[in-house]
Structure formats: structure tokens, C-alpha cells
Amino acid sequence: MNFHVLTLFPDMILQGVNTSITGRAIKNGVVSVSAVNIRDYAGNKHMKVDDYPYGGGAGLVMQAAPVCAAYDALAESLGKRPRVVYMTPQGYTFNQKMAQDFAKEEELVILCGHYEGIDERALERIVTDYVSIGDYVLTGGELPAMVVIDAVSRLVPGVLHNSESAETESFENGLLEYPQYTRPEVFEGKRVPEVLLSGHHANVEKWRLEKSIERTKKYRPDLYQAYCERNGIGI
Ligand code: SAM
């Protein structure tokens, strides 16, 4: 899968994704991440890509022309016009289901805004998906883009090794994951739950499901309610 990030800060993206599991996937050629500098498409000698908002108000707005030109050049080089995800606090909140959906694409463009955002006409022309990473406002779309790249790429076949499988993780079955333990058996006087040492697979699975349900009910009552509805459980 190939991610193409349209940004004013390409270094931020490239430095952020080249480590850990995404870094390994890039090195192995399973995933690629390219960062297109929107400023390269400024089309003026001062490389200016922003201007004051019509109607007044604080800050600067990224101009439509460089954003569209950056996308058009990318689309031309790919020979198709891929889906464009605009990172914005005004979008649908990113979740595992969206990550699964994006992971089916061969090419995915992620557009990062900065300052007060991007001229609406560019968004109307190229954006297919408006995605937020939560109800707070960040300085730019680069960190959100990295969040999306990380979550999506670990669902691309071949990115995670078997031992890192995504299948049992939080949200995959609509529940949060059960608590995890590793050696030593006793840490500061606290023992690992006995069932996990029993070697009894069915009991371990039963315990894990119970714990998943317990913590989903406690921390994410919205998910717990949906789980109960799906499974015909009365609350
Ligand atoms: N004026 C915009 C508004 O009120 O909706 C906020 C602009 S924000 C300062 C600059 C850029 O950061 C946005 O264009 C977007 O790309 C990114 N951004 C900020 N918060 C975000 C969030 N919660 N999720 C995704 N992107 C975000």
C-alpha cells in the first residue's frame, strides 16, 4: 500500500514514520510513504502558499491552487486519482473500522492543513473523506496523518508478523482488549492471574473475554452497549 501525504512539512512525516513497525514495513517494501511538499507547487517566486481569510478574522488560510496542483501532479504520475483523506477537526472521528476501510486502498492520499486550514474550494475539488483524530485542535494535520498511517499500515497484510497479530486487539471484536502480563510472575508482590499460568486454553479464553467485557463496560459504555445489542445481552 502506498501513502502519499500532501503537506507543508514533509520532514515531519518522513521522520515520524521511518521507525518501529511502520519503518520496518517501509524497509521491507510492504508499505511506502511519500511526502509531497505543497510549497513546491506555490507557483510564485516567494513560494507563498497562504493568504488572509476573506471576510476577516485571525490567521492565514492555505490557498487552493498549490493544494490542487500538488494533487493533480501526483494523480498524473500515478495514472489515477486516488482517494484523498483530509485531516480536519471537523471530520468524522477516526476509528478502527475506517482504518480497515482505508487499508483496502492501494494508493491513499492524506492532505494536511495548517494555519486556519485550507480554502474550501480545494477541499470541494479533491477531498473524498474528512477525518478527525479527536475533539481538539492541533497546529497541523501532520500528527493526525501519522496516526492514520500507523493504524492503517498495521492492517496491511505482511506488515505485522504473526506474533504481533492485530486480530485480538481492542476494537477488532467491538471490545477493548483484556489485560496483558509478561515475566516475572510476581512484580512488587503482585502475581499474574493464576488462570494465565494454567495452560488451560479454554479457561484462558473465557477469562480474557470476561476481562474484555468488564473493562469495556467501565471505560467505554458506548461500545459495551453496542456489544450487548449485537449479542442480545440485556443491560
Ligand atoms: N480552523 C480550523 C477549525 O477550526 O476547524 C482548525 C485548523 S487547525 C489549527 C490546522 C490544521 O490542523 C487543520 O487544517 C487540520 O489539517 C489539522 N488538525 C487540527 N486538529 C485536528 C484534528 N483533531 N484532527 C485532524 N486534523 C486536525
Side-chain angles (χ1 to χ4, degrees), residues 148-166:
V148 170
I149 292 170
D150 191 294
V152 172
S153 57
R154 62 202 304 287
L155 300 175
V156 173
V159 169
L160 293 187
H161 295 158
N162 277 347
S163 60
E164 302 159 343
S165 169

Side-chain angles (χ1 to χ4, degrees), residues 157-219:
V159 169
L160 293 187
H161 295 158
N162 277 347
S163 60
E164 302 159 343
S165 169
E167 278 160 31
T168 61
E169 281 176 320
S170 296
F171 311 113
E172 284 297 323
N173 60 356
L175 292 172
L176 302 181
E177 197 185 55
Y178 44 80
Q180 298 273 20
Y181 299 87
T182 187
R183 280 189 283 195
E185 259 179 57
V186 183
F187 172 69
E188 294 184 350
K190 283 186 117 178
R191 284 192 70 76
V192 170
E194 219 44 57
V195 63
L196 299 180
L197 308 173
S198 68
H200 192 298
H201 189 66
N203 284 353
V204 170
E205 288 308 301
K206 185 170 170 283
W207 180 87
R208 285 180 165 170
L209 180 61
E210 280 165 12
K211 290 290 163 190
S212 273
I213 292 173
E214 199 178 289
R215 55 174 51 183
T216 307
K217 187 174 179 180
K218 182 169 176 193
Y219 297 118

Side-chain angles (χ1 to χ4, degrees), residues 86-147:
Y86 175 45
M87 304 312 311
T88 166
Q90 302 180 22
Y92 294 107
T93 309
F94 188 53
N95 60 27
Q96 192 69 9
K97 205 156 164 265
M98 276 188 213
Q100 285 158 351
D101 182 37
F102 293 153
K104 293 180 196 139
E105 302 292 330
E106 202 172 317
E107 315 286 342
L108 191 68
V109 177
I110 304 181
L111 173 61
C112 304
H114 229 85
Y115 317 117
E116 286 312 308
I118 299 177
D119 187 306
E120 193 67 20
R121 292 164 296 182
L123 304 178
E124 285 168 1
R125 167 126 104 77
I126 68 169
V127 172
T128 55
D129 302 80
Y130 292 80
V131 176
S132 163
I133 62 160
D135 288 348
Y136 40 81
V137 178
L138 297 164
T139 316
E142 287 73 18
L143 287 171
M146 285 188 255
V147 167

